[in-house]
Amino acid sequence: MGQLIAGARGAGTGEGDLSGKRAVVVGMARSGVAAARFLARRGAHVTCNDRRAEGDLGAARAELDAAVAAAGPLAGTVEWRCGGHPAEIFRDAELVVVSPGVPADLPVLHQARAAGASVVGEVELAFRHLRAPLVAITGTNGKSTTTTWAGDMLQRAGKDVFVGGNLGRPLLEAVDRERPPDVAVAEISSFQMEWVARFRPQIAALTNLTPDHLDRHGSFEAYRAAKLRVFARQRGGDAAITPFGFEDHFVESDQDHFRFRLGDKVRPGASAQGGEIWLLGMPRTEAERYDARSVRLPGAHNLENALVAVLCARLAGAPADAVARSLAEFGGLEHRLELCGEIDGVRWFNDSKATNVDSTVIALRSFEAPLVWIAGGRGKGAPYAPIVELLGGGRVRAALLIGEAADEIAAAVGVAAPVERMGDLGRAVARARQVARPGDVVLLSPACASYDQFNNFEERGRRFRELVRALRTVS
């Protein structure tokens, strides 16, 4: 099978000389630092802006100052204006780059656009300068696993692959290299899609779509519209990958449309049934078959992730043997149903990346053993009712709740399982040790964001691992 993007140089168009351009970067987390570094190293005059005080941004400032110093005399200038978003720094800006965590309704952003500035996100800026084919993967759940898995398949084929985006490494890192990668595989979030204009991946995939981030987008319809922008500018020769049965009205151009599902075969697309993965109707091939039983990751949701990864990788040029090796050997991600250890016959799983209700539903369905479930954090506006039917019949010995959403979750699930409010993760882990019995699973699957008690879900997951490790030491 030939790949869809064979010989492609990249989708970006370039934006000409950035030297001397007046730019403001809003939000100085990872993507903001990457954008400021990229612009300053190309001679732009960059104002770094964040609602946090400058004293809270020491690490970001040190990283950026070092990068600009290393660029030498051709570098632009960098200044910092923090502790809010003063209107005066946006008045003369020609370019404003917005980090994903910055609210899209921030008034100064719309004022800057009205004054003639180009207002874009880091992903859009990266796309405009990217000189490599782009595979963009979005969805409510599974996008991190699928992105990493597709990248693994391509790397096993000997390709120089950038894997990142919302996954951790800003997409601009694929641009800011001495030579471009053979292909860039990027996880794309709904937040990142709010500030795109020309973004056009040659392969775009949607893993699934359920309510999430309603606290940010306001409605499922707005969230859905943001996600589907990943397909909006595709054209002939590009590929759109969606779940089977997904409405087709978003496909407004003549890109190739591939579907996937668990069950009956799909043409063109991918399916899994009876221990086999089938690809049908792909470019220059009639049919391909892979062993679904070789997939290491548990759960039907990971089989769906495998289908999307296989489609992306094959279309991007990974040969069948590299795909087959990856299906059998890929071990998954940190913080996603990650086995942290077994203590006295109890297995402890870290699913800290389950930051929404649907992710936790998937996690709960992945186990048949009795569960001690640790959940909670900062809610995102979605109801917890879908979890209730998975907790009854004695399947969950206890729901140990932490964080701001503990009371709300307790009110929803208390009819189906014993509920205990634990306050923080340390107390919840200690209580889980007391409650769990040999053969049980202790599952951290919060169904909530982490920002009430942690900086991000990674920090929450690492803390859980540390607590489990401490239990193993004293057991």
Side-chain angles (χ1 to χ4, degrees):
M1 181 178 82
Q3 68 254 41
L4 189 71
I5 57 176
R9 292 182 59 242
T13 58
E15 289 294 294
D17 187 9
L18 292 169
S19 180
K21 181 160 285 192
R22 299 183 301 277
V24 178
V25 177
V26 188
M28 297 309 298
R30 281 181 292 198
S31 66
V33 171
R37 179 175 61 239
F38 174 82
L39 294 167
R41 289 175 61 175
R42 285 157 180 79
H45 300 301
V46 182
T47 299
C48 299
N49 175 243
D50 197 287
R51 63 177 177 78
R52 294 171 291 174
E54 191 172 332
D56 296 329
L57 299 167
R61 181 161 191 168
E63 179 183 348
L64 183 55
D65 288 347
V68 174
L74 296 180
T77 60
V78 174
E79 66 171 309
W80 293 75
R81 295 291 300 277
C82 300
H85 306 292
E88 63 267 19
I89 67 174
F90 294 89
R91 291 191 184 116
D92 296 326
E94 299 170 86
L95 173 65
V96 178
V97 182
V98 186
S99 296
V102 176
D105 58 358
L106 197 66
V108 290
L109 301 179
H110 298 282
Q111 292 164 8
R113 175 172 279 173
S118 174
V119 182
V120 301
E122 176 264 329
V123 161
E124 174 74 13
L125 180 65
F127 168 76
R128 295 183 183 185
H129 295 270
L130 183 63
R131 289 292 181 264
L134 175 61
V135 180
I137 298 171
T138 194
T140 304
N141 298 301
K143 56 187 178 294
S144 295
T145 297
T146 304
T147 299
T148 308
W149 210 341
D152 182 76
M153 293 174 181
L154 288 159
Q155 288 165 344
R156 289 173 187 268
K159 294 184 177 293
D160 178 11
V161 185
F162 171 85
V163 179
N166 190 58
L167 186 59
R169 299 173 61 200
L171 185 57
L172 271 170
E173 290 189 13
V175 181
D176 220 6
R177 295 169 35 147
E178 290 186 8
R179 60 182 299 271
D182 296 325
V183 60
V185 185
E187 174 188 327
I188 303 297
S189 73
S190 60
F191 292 4
Q192 291 172 316
M193 285 292 96
E194 289 179 322
W195 293 104
V196 298
R198 305 177 198 170
F199 186 77
R200 184 183 69 83
Q202 288 158 293
I203 299 173
L206 176 75
T207 58
N208 46 61
L209 195 60
T210 59
D212 194 18
H213 297 301
L214 303 186
D215 54 336
R216 167 73 172 250
H217 295 289
S219 69
F220 176 64
E221 290 71 23
Y223 169 67
R224 181 183 187 276
K227 285 289 190 186
L228 296 186
R229 293 185 75 183
V230 75
F231 302 109
R233 296 187 66 83
Q234 287 192 301
R235 56 179 184 255
D238 297 333
I241 300 168
T242 69
F244 183 84
F246 196 83
E247 296 89 343
D248 293 347
H249 66 267
F250 70 87
V251 183
E252 298 175 354
S253 64
D254 58 348
Q255 75 262 52
D256 298 319
H257 192 179
F258 301 87
R259 299 166 179 84
F260 65 92
R261 71 174 171 189
L262 302 182
D264 294 339
K265 295 175 183 176
V266 181
R267 183 188 301 271
S271 62
Q273 188 179 48
E276 295 179 318
I277 290 173
W278 284 92
L279 265 63
L280 299 176
M282 304 292 283
R284 292 192 289 277
T285 187
E286 177 59 27
E288 291 183 16
R289 184 174 62 180
Y290 300 88
D291 182 7
R293 291 165 296 191
S294 70
V295 175
R296 290 179 55 189
L297 302 187
H301 64 290
N302 275 318
L303 196 51
E304 287 190 325
N305 294 339
L307 297 180
V308 182
V310 170
L311 285 169
C312 289
R314 290 296 276 135
L315 290 169
D321 61 337
V323 169
R325 290 198 309 274
S326 183
L327 285 171
E329 298 173 10
F330 181 69
L333 301 180
E334 284 187 306
H335 315 299
R336 199 66 175 119
L337 291 179
E338 174 192 9
L339 179 61
C340 296
E342 182 172 332
I343 305 171
D344 296 335
V346 176
R347 291 177 296 157
W348 296 71
F349 282 87
N350 167 24
D351 196 40
S352 182
K353 199 175 188 304
T355 60
N356 60 60
V357 170
D358 197 59
S359 289
T360 293
V361 167
I362 290 169
L364 291 169
R365 285 176 175 163
S366 297
F367 298 98
E368 296 182 0
L371 295 168
V372 177
W373 173 44
I374 302 173
R378 178 166 293 171
K380 298 165 77 174
Y384 299 100
I387 294 174
V388 174
E389 65 184 65
L390 301 174
L391 304 183
R395 184 164 177 266
V396 172
R397 297 198 190 280
L400 307 179
L401 306 180
I402 65 174
E404 292 177 1
D407 288 344
E408 186 179 356
I409 299 173
V413 308
V415 297
V419 169
E420 299 183 40
R421 294 168 178 80
M422 303 310 305
D424 61 39
L425 188 57
R427 293 187 184 93
V429 167
R431 180 58 177 154
R433 179 76 166 103
Q434 296 172 342
V435 174
R437 303 173 187 173
D440 288 0
V441 164
V442 176
L443 173 65
L444 169 67
S445 190
C448 292
S450 58
Y451 303 122
D452 56 338
Q453 297 181 343
F454 300 93
N455 289 320
N456 46 52
F457 74 81
E458 294 97 336
E459 181 181 298
R460 179 171 60 189
R462 288 193 295 269
R463 178 59 179 155
F464 181 75
R465 281 202 307 250
E466 292 169 358
L467 291 165
V468 174
R469 190 179 305 120
L471 290 179
R472 297 177 69 181
T473 302
V474 300
S475 63

